[in-house]
Amino acid sequence: MAPHLHPATPQPNHHRRRPAPRLQRSPSPRIRRPRHLGAGTPTYIGRPLLNALDLAHWAQSPLELNAVTALLLSPYLTAPTELDTAAHFDANILRQANLLRPEIDLRSLLSMAANSITPISWIKSLIQYITKSGNLETPRTYADWAEFLRNLLAAANWPGQRPLSPHEFQATQAWDSLLDQLATLDFRGLRIPYSAFLRTLTHQTATTPFTPPSTNAPIQIMPPAAAVGQTFDGLILLRATDANFPPQEHPNPLLSYALQSSLDMPGASQTRAAARAHQTLTTLLAAAPNILFTYAAETPDGPQRLAPILDALTWPQLDVPPTPSPTLIEIDLIPDDAPLPPLPSTHIRGGARVLQLQAACGFRAFAEVRLNAHELDTISLGFDAAQNGQRLHNALQRFWKRVQTQDTLRSMTPEERRQFLRQCVEEALSHHLDLSNAWDEAYVSLQQQRMTSLLQQWLEIELLRSPFSVGESEKDLQVEVGPLTLDVRFDRIDKLEGKSQAFVLVDYKTGASGHPRQWESERPDDPQLPLYSLLFTEDELKGLAFAKVFAGGMKWLGYQSRPGILPSSRININEVVELPELVAQWRATLTQLAEDFADGNAAVTPKRYPQTCNHCPQRTVCRLDPSSLRIPEEDQEELDV
Ligand code: SF4
């Protein structure tokens, strides 16, 4: 049975001394809202209590990353002077970390923060307090844990230094009252570990009703029971169907029916429930001179009926007037022709990405590269696709650094290859990774097996090519294109055997996407290899290809200047083309894109709507009007289907 809580007498405690809002000078004029939501639970009333609850859980176990972000950016914890630093830490350090699970414990976060320039003061004092408090699994009384939690929150600076609004103040009072009520459970003489105390606290927080302070708003929204005893100018009862009014009463499944019936408990008797419903209705009818009951005639569940108790009143039914059609407003057109300030620097990091974005949509390139507007990175369970790709690149780089040539690869026995590959994969996977528990170790071990087996198969595909040696792998260079200087990183540059200056550019692809047709058109989808090709003279470049290291789809896809440089078969499609001509075309296309970016051409022009926009994080800021776009017929048919 759930513990029964007694109303408690508040205990004196210095951590409860918070100035009431009426005693403070308000930092800004209060806004009177037109409506007021009149009931809920403490968690419903918002962030102060959610922050307190999350901190209580974080003291014991890792916390989910989004909740950590909410704490770092919370005005109830982080001082206003530290908020920018906390946001920087969250976006650029925490979310870039090599984490195998989307959660982090307090100590790991502190050591991460200690290695950065970021002093988030409350985290340090929180850990100091937890360390000082001893083992959280040692049983203590409810009152002890309540006191521990109060001190813990005080160590974290909760609820902050700034003046509290009436709502926030009421929330902190509700929290204190909850802890007081939990302390009354000590009458049972039990000592419990912190985890058990947390479970009870979480349950009570979710179920304790809470009435926020009235703001004297003209519209009050509340459940019927909360309206009893009050008076209004008008009253509207929504969803007045037989399913909702009167609210259903449920008997307690753990108490005997006889006991519940003798105590007249809710749900024990239909007759008494009906009497209570009539009594509530009578009180509501007296609460206002104007009363309206409404309900939807039909919902996804089917046709709806007016509650019989209301139907019995035989009040007249009102016809719902038709919804007025919206008034068209006249639109002022303001020409957007103000020139942008010049590009602060023509040296751009991120390689071909700027050209890829400019080709996809000018506005997206402007927002992401020039304004640096990015969505926050998310961390999923295990390695995500990008991390998998990076680690696979790393393993292959380690492999080719030692093996160097296709001849050496051919001379190795399958067992030698497997052993060496395994070692490279192991090093690549454990690079910058802190394996903190058995789950992490088991996961990484599984990934090692998977990647080793995948790359073993890939090495067979490497043997299909004409002889080569790996010249450069994961090499950083700069490419000049139009007015821009781009920092790029090559996956691999292979030298063809027998010729001193004959190269093949290789780009690893670890997913299904990636096809040479993405290099074509004036708005190429993947301009990376075309961009790299600009670094070679006309005679040097003999081929460029996607190396598709992808389970179930391993192959070479690319262009070559003569047959035999790259494998050709039904699967490995490597067209023979006039590479110098193609490179000249690419140079013109990429130069135009670079100039467009440098000139600030930030037009909202997605290459293919809606595909280009589907995963674009700038969708909320670009104000794209899809009706202004002409969707190609074949795309429209696809969409219709
Ligand atoms: S949502 Fe579409 S139109 Fe808007 S910025 Fe992104 S790609 Fe461009």
Side-chain angles (χ1 to χ4, degrees), residues 102-313:
E103 59 184 25
I104 191 165
D105 62 48
L106 260 170
R107 279 174 213 288
S108 306
L109 188 103
L110 184 65
S111 67
M112 210 180 270
N115 293 333
S116 72
I117 49 163
T118 318
I120 302 171
S121 39
W122 62 264
I123 293 179
K124 197 168 174 190
S125 43
L126 186 64
I127 291 184
Q128 279 169 355
Y129 176 71
I130 295 171
T131 311
K132 213 171 61 187
S133 303
N135 188 350
L136 298 187
E137 284 309 302
T138 307
R140 299 184 205 173
T141 63
Y142 279 94
D144 285 346
W145 286 126
E147 191 58 19
F148 164 79
L149 209 44
R150 280 201 177 94
N151 291 331
L152 178 106
L153 292 178
N157 193 35
W158 186 87
Q161 303 297 333
R162 67 191 180 88
L164 297 176
S165 70
H167 206 88
E168 293 162 344
F169 180 75
Q170 192 87 2
T172 59
Q173 298 291 93
W175 176 259
D176 277 336
S177 161
L178 252 181
L179 293 184
D180 287 338
Q181 289 184 35
L182 284 176
T184 66
L185 291 174
D186 281 342
F187 80 95
R188 298 196 296 172
L190 275 182
R191 286 177 170 267
I192 49 161
Y194 183 61
S195 49
F197 175 80
L198 264 188
R199 272 198 301 279
T200 313
L201 173 70
T202 309
H203 174 78
Q204 286 306 126
T205 315
T207 52
T208 305
F210 171 79
T211 306
S214 169
T215 54
N216 292 327
I219 301 172
Q220 304 275 326
I221 302 168
M222 58 184 67
V228 170
Q230 301 196 49
T231 55
F232 306 93
D233 296 328
L235 195 145
I236 302 177
L237 188 76
L238 303 174
R239 301 169 71 202
T241 62
D242 50 354
N244 297 313
F245 193 82
Q248 280 188 9
E249 294 182 350
H250 299 284
N252 188 317
L254 299 177
L255 297 179
S256 74
Y257 176 77
L259 177 68
Q260 295 186 62
S261 183
S262 68
L263 293 174
D264 195 14
M265 287 176 67
S269 156
Q270 285 303 323
T271 319
R272 286 177 193 158
R276 266 193 290 270
H278 273 288
Q279 193 181 349
T280 305
L281 180 62
T282 310
T283 321
L284 284 178
L285 293 179
N290 302 300
I291 298 179
L292 179 69
F293 300 113
T294 74
Y295 66 99
E298 186 148 356
T299 70
D301 296 333
Q304 303 292 304
R305 275 194 325 159
L306 180 64
I309 188 172
L310 302 178
D311 205 15
L313 296 174

Side-chain angles (χ1 to χ4, degrees), residues 36 39 45 117 172 560 591:
H36 172 69
I45 66 166
I117 49 163
T172 59
Q560 52 190 333
T591 303

Side-chain angles (χ1 to χ4, degrees), residues 360-364 603-607 609 612-614 616-620 622-624:
C361 172
F363 183 82
R364 185 166 179 191
V604 180
T605 48
K607 181 181 171 188
Y609 179 82
T612 311
C613 303
N614 274 347
C616 176
Q618 312 303 335
R619 185 70 186 86
T620 48
C622 71
R623 294 185 290 174
L624 169 73

